[in-house]
Amino acid sequence: MQVLKFGGTSVGSAKAIDQVCQILQKNKPAGRYAIVVSALGGTTDKLIRCGQLAGEGQEQYKSVLQEIENRHLDTIRELFPITAQSSMISQLKKKLNTLENLCDGIFQVGELSARSLDKIMSYGELISCVIVAEKLKQLGFSATCKDSRELIVTDNNYGHAAVNFQATNHHITEYFAQHPADYVVLPGFVAAAPNGDTTTLGRGGSDYTAAIIAAALHADCLDIWTDVSGMMTADPRLVSQALPIAHISYEEAMELSHFGAKVIYPPTIQPVMDKRIPIWIKNTFAPEDYGTLIQDTEERSFPVTGISGIQHISLLTLEGSGMVGIPGFSKRLFEALLQERINVIFITQSSSEHSITVGIHEADMLKAKTAVDSEFAQEIHEKRIEPLQVEKDLCIVAVVGDKMKNHHGTSGKLFGTLGRNGVNVRAIAQGSTEKNISAVINKPDLKKALNLIHEAFFEAPLKQVNLFVAGVGNVGSKLLEQLQQQQHYLQEELGLQIRVAGMANSKNALFSEYGIGLNDWKNQLAQGDAMDLPTFVDRIKSMNLRNSVFVDNTASGEVAAVYHEFLQHGISVVTCNKIACSSDYAYYKKLKDLARKYNASFLFETNVGAGLPVINTLNDLVRSGDRVQSIEAVLSGSLNFVFNHFVNGNSFRSVVKAAQDEGYTEPDPRIDLSGKDVMRKILILARESGAAIEMNDITNHSFLPDACLDAPSVADFYETLDEHADHFQQLYHEAANAGKRLKFVARYADGQASVGLQCVAPDHPFYKLEGKDNIVLYTTNRYQEQPLIVKGAGAGADVTASGIFADIIRSARL
């Protein structure tokens, strides 16, 4: 005997029913079949709506009944030849007339009881059973239809009846022994109480019906035919990288189904597991796919089989010092919930016995609060315990695997992964069998958490990183170019899949949860939404993607002012924008503290020296216990370019203009020439070495005349350079006559910092610094006699982008 169950989508249309018949024809071995069918997809929901409307005294139930009738009539007309339709339509009309009379009675009374609702809901399966059986007969199968209510006996707990297995097994074995039909078609989901009243086995109960029959008949196999190709490592609607599970144990399947895997109804597994009957989950619409085979599994090398989640959870916490050492509190709590028929999904209790926390469905929250507070009214009045605490908008994620108990570090890997991405865990439960680790988290974090866990346990070594890029000008466009060029290398060599999930310039913003194609990003961005910074920030936070990194390629103070919003949501920040780290020390310190608190990276290597490892080198020294005595540096590639090209015969104006044209200066060159940019850089280095100093603590020995600094426009500024040409020539000749070169130098020592133009002698490391190069000399306790030197190109879009790229990789691998 083989038992097959076909779900609502499998019999949801005439075409689908034809597909079911083809499956039965193609797989027609010797032996007999019990075929359990659900109602046509969506019918049960409409039947429930009918009952509710009738119970509310609303005549719209009649139109819903008409929709149900039309749906079934259309199916019959498509499925059967005209000569066979009249008999089928007659049977359909008869059942629907009875249903209509039932709804009319409910409408007249104005009340829908659980008993009446079960009766109404049964009609979907009762009708589909007749249709499928008749279709099989038309195709020449030896088929008959049998009402499951005559076989399965339950109690009168309407809506979720409990099965009397002794009576049920007797009825099933007796019937199949006496009736020789090769194909017996039965309605799923429905049963009957001892007095003959119709009961139901709970939504999804058609699977359970099939399992009950399979267990009673000691079937060779139970096939569950549905619209997916078996169980997956996660819900593919939430985790696009979910993988099919070919083999799984009974216990693992029970855990996953209990925690939200919708492929199979949780009670289904127990009856067949007791008899060790395999369950094969197959796809009606892709019958060649292997599916999932549930049975006693072989040894596996990997610990986790799948992950799942339950949404709409509330946590109830009973706590108080009066609970400690006093027996009976747990018993009374669960009895209060039992009296209200509230199912407990999750339990955890503190070892001090000071509190006990349970998880329930959110729909039962108010009912539970009332019942528990009533049960403990005396203790609450005496202040021995607190009123029941209720938290909502939560969900549960569960990691399931038979072999987790044999693998050390599974829990650490799970919670470490969540913690590093800012997913707060509200409660934890793990059974003594170690087959399930469950965590309660905030509902908005469910998708992110499932993807993180799936990536950690199933997709290693590939890690997905989601970038949000602000600023796609010179540096930003070079960064995107480098990202596109290195995609293959990152995946193959570093195990990183870096996607740009959002980008913006001053005019437009563009988002894509699945990644923006970097071949045509300019056209896509041009067609994006209007850029609004608060909206851009909110959208990044609401997308809540795993391993998110915000990349700031701008020089905007407004953008720098929102870094904290990202960090406190666990979103890393990588920036070449110096404003945040050179602003008030309090804000700089806040950003560093937030990064530590929320396990996010705050990286700004390109704030000083573009792509040079200036800050990382300093960080390594400090973290390893070294102490900085002084820092001396040429930190402006722009100024170094200017003074390296300011030689005899060149005007200062022409050199500055050439630097601007090459892209080495800001659009307003005064930002570079004034020394303010260098002040920011030495300030950042001083702070990274441990000094709590502010910008106004730095002395700036400016070489620009006040008239140049105060010019009303860039054009006017260039005019003032001509007007003060003698001043600049004098600076040059003083240095040249002494055999020295002009360098704009930043210094920090003993808590004091300064910047200014200096004449550097030939024996100084700065003397031969060419082009736009930067150089930094670190004199420390370990590097006293010979300073540690970092030297190289300190300006340019390419090298700056490469430094940002390196920080992105660093943030992904922390």
Side-chain angles (χ1 to χ4, degrees), residues 303-304 307 399 410 412-418 420-421 448-464 546-547:
V304 174
I307 57 177
V399 176
T410 303
K413 189 174 185 180
L414 167 64
F415 296 117
T417 297
L418 296 176
R420 283 191 298 273
N421 280 270
K448 179 180 182 180
L450 291 175
N451 277 277
L452 284 166
I453 299 167
H454 195 273
E455 182 177 79
F457 287 103
F458 295 103
E459 299 171 41
L462 200 62
K463 178 179 181 179
Q464 186 184 100
R546 65 192 188 275
N547 305 317

Side-chain angles (χ1 to χ4, degrees), residues 238-239 307 395 397 417-424 441-456 464 466 513 540-549 566-572 598-600:
L238 299 175
V239 181
I307 57 177
C395 60
V397 291
T417 297
L418 296 176
R420 283 191 298 273
N421 280 270
V423 178
N424 185 39
I441 62 174
N442 294 322
K443 194 190 311 183
D445 288 330
L446 177 62
K447 183 176 181 179
K448 179 180 182 180
L450 291 175
N451 277 277
L452 284 166
I453 299 167
H454 195 273
E455 182 177 79
Q464 186 184 100
N466 292 286
E513 185 177 340
I540 294 172
K541 292 189 293 187
S542 66
M543 287 178 74
N544 205 18
L545 298 180
R546 65 192 188 275
N547 305 317
S548 290
V549 181
F566 295 119
L567 294 171
Q568 65 193 15
H569 278 81
I571 299 171
S572 295
Y598 293 101
N599 297 304

Side-chain angles (χ1 to χ4, degrees), residues 198-265:
T198 297
T199 58
T200 61
L201 303 177
R203 293 301 299 269
S206 292
D207 289 356
Y208 192 25
T209 301
I212 293 166
I213 293 170
L217 298 175
H218 298 274
D220 299 322
C221 185
L222 168 61
D223 288 358
I224 305 289
W225 289 85
T226 180
D227 58 355
V228 293
S229 296
M231 301 184 79
M232 306 284 282
T233 49
D235 186 342
R237 294 169 299 180
L238 299 175
V239 181
S240 61
Q241 305 300 318
L243 306 169
I245 302 173
H247 298 93
I248 189 172
S249 72
Y250 295 107
E251 292 81 2
E252 290 170 327
M254 287 182 69
E255 291 282 0
L256 284 174
S257 62
H258 176 71
F259 279 93
K262 303 295 185 183
V263 177
I264 191 168
Y265 182 53

Side-chain angles (χ1 to χ4, degrees), residues 5 35-36 75 82 94-95 105 168 176 178 239 316 334 371-372 379 464 537 542 560 613 644 655 694 718 778 796 799:
K5 178 264 178 178
I35 302 168
V36 178
T75 302
I82 295 175
K94 184 177 179 181
K95 290 185 182 298
T168 297
F176 278 89
Q178 295 176 1
V239 181
L316 312 178
F334 291 117
V372 174
E379 289 86 352
Q464 186 184 100
V537 173
S542 66
N644 280 335
V655 174
E694 301 286 359
Y718 275 110
Y778 292 122
V799 291

Side-chain angles (χ1 to χ4, degrees), residues 472-782:
V472 287
N474 288 339
V475 173
S477 61
K478 288 293 183 182
L479 172 64
L480 296 176
E481 181 182 312
Q482 292 173 15
L483 286 169
Q484 183 181 20
Q485 176 187 324
Q486 290 297 100
Q487 281 180 347
H488 181 73
Y489 174 84
L490 293 172
Q491 293 187 27
E492 294 298 318
E493 301 297 327
L494 302 183
L496 295 177
Q497 181 190 41
I498 298 182
R499 304 187 313 176
V500 178
M503 63 171 65
N505 56 21
S506 60
K507 295 180 180 179
N508 298 96
L510 177 67
F511 291 93
S512 173
E513 185 177 340
Y514 304 103
I516 297 167
L518 296 183
N519 289 319
D520 190 38
W521 65 266
K522 290 183 180 178
N523 288 331
Q524 294 179 66
L525 180 59
Q527 297 171 22
D529 298 328
M531 174 57 178
D532 174 72
L533 184 59
T535 303
F536 186 72
V537 173
D538 289 343
R539 180 70 183 276
I540 294 172
K541 292 189 293 187
S542 66
M543 287 178 74
N544 205 18
L545 298 180
R546 65 192 188 275
N547 305 317
S548 290
V549 181
F550 174 71
V551 182
D552 180 13
N553 301 314
T554 75
S556 166
E558 287 184 79
V559 176
V562 299
Y563 291 174
H564 65 283
E565 294 194 48
F566 295 119
L567 294 171
Q568 65 193 15
H569 278 81
I571 299 171
S572 295
V573 173
V574 170
T575 180
C576 62
N577 184 343
K578 294 177 281 292
I579 293 177
C581 289
S582 61
S583 62
D584 291 344
Y585 180 81
Y587 187 59
Y588 161 84
K589 182 69 163 53
K590 177 182 178 179
L591 296 178
K592 302 278 280 190
D593 291 343
L594 286 173
R596 281 191 293 270
K597 181 177 180 179
Y598 293 101
N599 297 304
S601 297
F602 177 41
L603 301 175
F604 43 90
E605 178 64 77
T606 49
N607 276 197
V608 182
L612 293 177
V614 174
I615 293 176
N616 277 324
T617 300
L618 176 57
N619 290 159
D620 289 343
L621 292 172
V622 173
R623 289 167 186 159
S624 64
D626 203 354
R627 186 173 182 277
V628 175
Q629 295 178 0
S630 67
I631 301 171
E632 189 175 17
V634 173
L635 295 174
S636 173
S638 309
L639 284 171
N640 198 47
F641 178 91
V642 167
F643 286 108
N644 280 335
H645 289 78
F646 183 40
V647 295
N648 199 20
N650 288 341
S651 71
F652 193 70
R653 173 195 171 119
S654 64
V655 174
V656 173
K657 189 67 172 68
Q660 185 183 23
D661 292 342
E662 290 289 336
Y664 296 146
T665 73
E666 297 291 339
D668 185 344
R670 284 173 293 182
I671 296 174
D672 299 284
L673 299 177
S674 68
K676 187 174 182 180
D677 188 59
V678 177
M679 291 173 68
R680 286 173 174 164
K681 292 177 179 179
I682 193 64
L683 174 67
I684 292 167
L685 292 181
R687 286 176 172 177
E688 289 294 289
S689 69
I693 67 173
E694 301 286 359
M695 181 70 89
N696 57 16
D697 295 327
I698 301 173
T699 303
N700 183 1
H701 302 288
S702 176
F703 68 90
L704 282 180
D706 290 342
C708 297
L709 290 172
D710 297 336
S713 68
V714 173
D716 292 327
F717 163 70
Y718 275 110
E719 293 298 324
T720 62
L721 293 184
D722 281 338
E723 293 170 8
H724 292 82
D726 291 344
H727 166 75
F728 299 114
Q729 288 296 326
Q730 183 179 351
L731 292 174
Y732 167 75
H733 287 299
E734 285 179 358
N737 293 338
K740 298 180 180 181
R741 300 181 70 178
L742 292 171
K743 300 293 177 184
F744 197 87
V745 178
R747 288 184 53 83
Y748 169 74
D750 301 323
Q752 303 295 317
S754 64
V755 299
L757 196 62
Q758 293 186 16
C759 295
V760 177
D763 61 347
H764 196 284
F766 294 173
Y767 184 82
K768 293 184 178 180
L769 193 66
E770 301 296 336
K772 57 183 183 298
D773 284 0
N774 281 189
I775 186 170
V776 181
L777 277 62
Y778 292 122
T779 302
T780 71
N781 289 352
R782 295 175 188 156

